[in-house]
Amino acid sequence: MRLRPLVTAAAVTAALVVTPASAAPAGRVLGYVANNDGGVSVIDTATNAVSETIVDSGGNSPYMAAVAFDGTRGYVTNSVQNTLTVIDTPTNTVDRSIAVGDHPAGVAVAPGGGFVYVTNYFGSSVSVVDTATWTVTATVAVTERPDGVSVAPDGKSVYVTHDRAGAGLLSVIDTTANAVVATIPTGSNSTALAVSPDGSRAYVVNRTSNNISVVDTASRTVVATIGVGDFPHGIALNGSRAYVTNSVSNSVSVVDLTANAEILPRIPVGERPISVSLLPDGSAAYVTNFDSDTVSIISTASNTVTGTIGVGDKPVGIAIHFVPPAAAKLVAGSAQLQLRLLGFTVRSLDATLTETHTGAPVAGATIVFRTVKGNPLCTATTNASGKATCDANVSLLVGLNTLLQGFTASFAGDNEHTGGSSHGSIYLL
């Protein structure tokens, strides 16, 4: 596990800009787990292991996590510090923290990523964050204890649950006016919710009613109620099914959304499951277990637990998304040409690879050096400083004039960083 501290993005003064490699890397599917006792665990779903832990020194009480539609930004609420942490997901570094309302809980991103909506549990409000300016541009007053939040697929409405005893409520916010336009009675202590991909249904988890309210978003009425396990807390939709965490019975309910009925048996997971998120292809559900400090992996084909991942203390929210490779910058240096019998020696070919966003060196990358005409010279791996260097013995057939035109250093790219190339100089000794 790699502990990654707060990193401030540095300006990069590059002489040469990396050009995209011919074959685009695939990127990664990462899970972001908000650990309420501090830090965000990053799960690489290819290995189902924690690859690093992101720490925001100004916000150490993560509660819920969301990832922007394109995977390039992550958002985590800090319930004690009253802030929203913004993460650059390709580099997994903290960009900034934004002050929001009192005890922020839920967080959701609008389609297109232009706005982020944060529920302020003790502030009875929703903060609207404009991602163009990174400021709170509106604060929408709502009823008490707003908790879960979801944005309609068309971006025109925001739905907010209220974790209040007795009859719970679902507030509907018009995003043009940034005002509540309707409140819909649901079950008791409503927590999480999910909106169907076509926007026609909102599924509200009612913690102390032990059920799910199915809301018709057009008529703004509850059209069905589905019983689940004890103290349900989180929900994620997967086609015609929903996965619902039951925090007291330590299980996950699978719900048939066509029949509006639970499919038994329930799936046993860790202690006090809170949130659930699915892989983009829907093949697995990942569940945070608050008291076990773990994440359970459920195969949606068999509805069985296929793995368990240790994370940080008291995991709460989780968000999974495809994350593209981080932009990288390759800068080639210079080399010295030495004549030898029947050929040439090119000494100290070098190039340095760094992340564009942070300026951090990229270690372990394979750099290929060639002449400007494509003749192979040598291959080297970047060190801890991001620098690769090697010597090359070259045949006379390559030609002195070709070598004096310099060399090309190239990086093919990988799942974590984009590829590119750069031109360097060769000088005759």
Side-chain angles (χ1 to χ4, degrees):
M1 180 186 298
R2 180 161 55 116
L3 187 66
R4 195 159 192 173
L6 173 68
V7 176
T8 302
V12 179
T13 54
L16 294 168
V17 177
V18 167
T19 56
S22 56
R28 296 168 291 168
V29 175
L30 302 179
Y32 293 83
V33 178
N35 303 301
N36 198 225
D37 267 2
V40 176
S41 297
V42 181
I43 296 174
D44 187 332
T45 63
T47 60
N48 281 329
V50 173
S51 58
E52 57 191 298
T53 300
I54 305 170
V55 175
D56 177 2
S57 59
N60 57 13
S61 60
Y63 190 73
M64 294 302 290
V67 182
F69 77 107
D70 59 359
T72 59
R73 289 288 185 270
Y75 303 94
V76 178
T77 55
N78 299 292
S79 56
V80 174
Q81 287 73 32
N82 298 334
T83 58
L84 177 72
T85 295
V86 182
I87 298 169
D88 177 78
T89 52
T91 61
N92 283 326
T93 53
V94 174
D95 270 355
R96 56 181 51 82
S97 290
I98 301 168
V100 287
D102 190 358
H103 204 86
V107 55
V109 185
F115 293 94
V116 178
Y117 297 88
V118 177
T119 58
N120 302 307
Y121 191 85
F122 290 144
S124 299
S125 64
V126 174
S127 296
V128 183
V129 179
D130 186 332
T131 61
T133 60
W134 300 118
T135 58
V136 175
T137 54
T139 301
V140 183
V142 294
T143 195
E144 62 182 326
R145 296 192 177 185
D147 193 358
V149 58
S150 187
V151 186
D154 61 7
K156 295 180 179 180
S157 301
V158 171
Y159 299 94
V160 177
T161 63
H162 296 273
D163 182 22
R164 52 182 239 169
L169 288 175
L170 179 68
S171 294
V172 183
I173 297 173
D174 180 287
T175 57
T176 301
N178 279 327
V180 174
V181 292
T183 53
I184 305 165
T186 58
S188 182
N189 294 100
S190 302
T191 55
L193 80 156
V195 178
S196 62
D198 65 1
S200 66
R201 294 287 187 269
Y203 298 90
V204 178
V205 178
N206 304 307
R207 185 161 49 89
T208 55
S209 295
N210 297 336
N211 58 29
I212 308 297
S213 295
V214 182
V215 177
D216 182 299
T217 58
S219 64
R220 293 172 178 168
T221 58
V222 174
V223 294
T225 301
I226 308 167
V228 288
D230 294 335
F231 277 64
H233 203 288
I235 184 171
L237 305 185
N238 189 24
S240 62
R241 292 185 173 184
Y243 287 79
V244 180
T245 60
N246 302 307
S247 60
V248 169
S249 54
N250 299 332
S251 66
V252 171
S253 291
V254 183
V255 175
D256 183 331
L257 300 178
T258 303
N260 284 331
E262 182 181 13
I263 302 171
L264 295 174
R266 294 166 185 154
I267 307 166
V269 289
E271 294 183 38
R272 200 178 170 190
I274 300 295
S275 296
V276 55
S277 186
L278 288 138
L279 291 179
D281 65 3
S283 63
Y286 289 66
V287 177
T288 58
N289 302 306
F290 187 85
D291 287 340
S292 298
D293 299 337
T294 61
V295 169
S296 296
I297 306 168
I298 296 172
S299 165
T300 57
S302 63
N303 284 333
T304 59
V305 172
T306 58
T308 303
I309 307 167
V311 290
D313 293 336
K314 297 180 173 58
V316 185
I318 181 169
I320 299 175
H321 212 291
F322 171 81
V323 174
K329 176 176 67 73
L330 184 67
V331 176
S334 60
Q336 300 81 45
L337 180 63
Q338 183 176 6
L339 297 174
R340 62 180 178 85
L341 186 64
L342 303 178
F344 308 94
T345 296
V346 184
R347 300 193 182 279
S348 301
L349 289 150
D350 76 89
T352 302
L353 185 67
T354 56
E355 291 179 347
T356 304
H357 186 70
T358 65
V362 178
T366 300
I367 308 300
V368 177
F369 296 90
R370 296 183 177 88
T371 68
V372 293
K373 292 186 177 181
N375 307 96
L377 294 171
C378 58
T379 299
T381 302
T382 56
N383 59 19
S385 300
K387 186 173 183 179
T389 183
C390 56
D391 299 337
N393 291 324
V394 185
S395 166
L396 283 172
L397 296 176
V398 172
L400 178 63
N401 184 58
T402 295
L403 291 172
L404 290 178
Q405 291 179 54
F407 67 91
T408 298
S410 62
F411 170 55
D414 54 28
N415 286 338
E416 296 188 37
H417 296 94
T418 58
S421 62
S422 180
H423 181 265
S425 303
I426 297 177
Y427 299 98
L428 184 63
L429 287 177

